[in-house]
């Protein structure tokens, strides 16, 4: 079995579930190009804990961990199976990598997990296990978490970091279509680091990239990118999924580390 690439996906606002646009179409095309993995392990900033935890439910619930959105959004379900066996294997792999972890048999999948996956694997027929992001995670720790998870890629498991390439909710403007220049400049800086396979540049992004503090007033939505980068033993070639910038400030760019894929994506008209 060949080693799978790793993926960082920008999950945007919860309404991404119903408004796929180009980013959703690209994830759908990526799912077809990669085929179904044995399972998916996903890290999201919407599950932060004191230490690393791993979901171990047979049938994880779809968590609607947001408020103030259209009623139809709360009716959406992503009934992917879990895998207690994989959860135990993840704990074993993490411990071998120097990361202590515990299992949570009750926790479901938050919107950082199920929203992008419903576009990538809409049939919800691939087992999904979520790994939490510890509160004290910084760039180095996020990369190390990815490194510890990396052996799973040799076992047919797709490792996904789900966050947002830019995430300034103070400037979030519903209905805004004009791009904020800073969001584009920050995205282009990160894209170059990914395409060059420049790990140190990625690790230093929040200190060195233009407009980094504005793009990420808090760091939790950027750190999953470093988890995905760490999970790839061979970061280049990389595939860029440019989903544009939604609501003026939310960059929807995603990256596949370790494999170049040509995507035939047709933008979906949002409802």
């Amino acid at each position: 079995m060949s080693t799978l690439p790793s993926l960082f996906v920008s999950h945007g606002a919860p309404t991404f579930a119903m408004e796929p646009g180009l980013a959703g179409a690209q994830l759908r095309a990526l799912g077809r190009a990669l085929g179904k993995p044995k399972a998916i392990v996903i890290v999201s900033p919407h599950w932060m804990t004191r230490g690393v935890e791993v979901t171990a439910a047979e049938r994880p619930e779809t968590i609607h961990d947001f408020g103030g959105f259209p009623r139809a959004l709360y009716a959406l379900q992503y009934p992917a199976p879990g895998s207690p066996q994989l959860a135990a294997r993840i704990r074993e792999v993490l411990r071998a990598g120097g990361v202590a972890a515990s299992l949570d048999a009750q926790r479901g999948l938050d919107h950082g997990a199920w929203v992008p996956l419903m576009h990538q694997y809409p049939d919800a027929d691939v087992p999904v296990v979520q790994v939490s992001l510890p509160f004290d995670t910084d760039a180095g720790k996020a990369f190390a978490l990815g490194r510890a998870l990396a052996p799973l890629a040799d076992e047919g498991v797709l490792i996904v970091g789900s966050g947002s390439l830019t995430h300034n909710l103070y400037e979030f403007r519903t209905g805004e279509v004009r791009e904020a220049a800073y969001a584009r400049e920050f995205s282009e800086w990160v894209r170059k680091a990914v395409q060059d396979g420049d790990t140190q540049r990625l690790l230093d992004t929040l200190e060195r990239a233009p407009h980094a503090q504005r793009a990420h007033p808090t760091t939790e939505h950027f750190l999953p990118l470093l988890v995905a980068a760490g999970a790839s033993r061979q970061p280049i070639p990389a595939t860029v999924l440019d989903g544009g910038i939604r609501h003026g400030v939310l960059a929807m760019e995603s990256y596949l580390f370790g494999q170049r894929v040509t995507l035939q994506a047709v933008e979906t008209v949002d409802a």
Side-chain angles (χ1 to χ4, degrees):
M1 181 180 295
S2 61
T3 299
L4 288 179
S6 60
L7 175 66
F8 166 72
V9 59
S10 290
H11 62 247
T15 48
F16 181 38
M18 300 188 301
E19 301 170 354
L22 180 58
Q26 289 180 324
L27 285 175
R28 182 72 175 267
L30 181 64
R32 291 193 297 265
L34 292 179
K36 292 178 184 177
K38 179 180 177 182
I40 295 167
V41 171
I42 190 163
V43 175
S44 157
H46 297 287
W47 187 25
M48 299 189 73
T49 54
R50 296 188 68 176
V52 176
E53 298 184 22
V54 183
T55 61
E58 288 274 5
R59 293 285 173 181
E61 67 172 319
T62 302
I63 303 174
H64 300 86
D65 52 335
F66 41 77
F69 290 95
R71 183 177 300 177
L73 192 56
Y74 300 90
L76 295 179
Q77 297 291 316
Y78 189 73
S83 176
Q85 295 79 16
L86 176 58
R89 173 63 180 148
I90 293 169
R91 180 172 60 180
E92 177 183 290
V93 167
L94 286 173
R95 286 178 174 173
V99 179
S102 60
L103 304 185
D104 186 334
Q106 305 302 318
R107 173 79 185 187
L109 303 176
D110 62 56
H111 81 272
W114 66 263
V115 168
L117 290 180
M118 73 181 298
H119 297 305
Q120 189 171 356
Y121 294 107
D123 294 334
D125 55 356
V126 178
V128 180
V129 174
Q130 188 167 345
V131 173
S132 72
L133 193 66
F135 290 117
D136 66 350
T137 303
D138 57 18
K141 290 178 180 178
F143 191 83
L145 177 59
R147 273 285 186 261
L149 292 169
L152 298 168
D154 297 329
E155 302 172 16
V157 176
L158 179 65
I159 301 167
V160 181
S162 175
S164 189
L165 192 56
T166 59
H167 193 256
N168 189 329
L169 294 187
Y170 303 106
E171 299 183 9
F172 182 86
R173 300 183 292 275
T174 302
E176 179 62 77
V177 295
R178 292 172 297 174
E179 292 184 2
Y182 83 85
R184 176 61 63 186
E185 291 172 18
F186 179 86
S187 299
E188 290 173 349
W189 197 93
V190 177
R191 180 189 292 193
K192 178 171 172 54
V194 171
Q195 292 178 320
D196 291 349
D198 191 338
T199 298
Q200 193 58 54
R201 180 183 171 103
L202 278 181
L203 287 168
D204 293 344
T205 295
L206 296 178
E207 286 74 40
R208 294 179 52 203
H211 317 293
Q213 182 62 40
R214 190 175 178 187
H216 289 280
T218 57
T219 63
E220 75 284 343
H221 275 73
F222 184 78
L223 296 174
L225 189 157
L226 299 177
V227 175
S232 176
R233 296 193 181 99
Q234 190 173 335
I236 53 176
T239 300
V240 175
L241 290 74
D242 184 357
I245 296 178
R246 302 298 296 265
H247 309 293
V249 296
L250 294 182
M252 296 297 292
E253 188 152 296
S254 301
Y255 305 115
L256 186 71
F257 293 93
Q259 185 174 335
R260 183 171 289 114
V261 177
T262 300
L263 301 175
Q264 300 297 323
V266 178
E267 183 168 1
T268 303
V269 178
D270 295 340

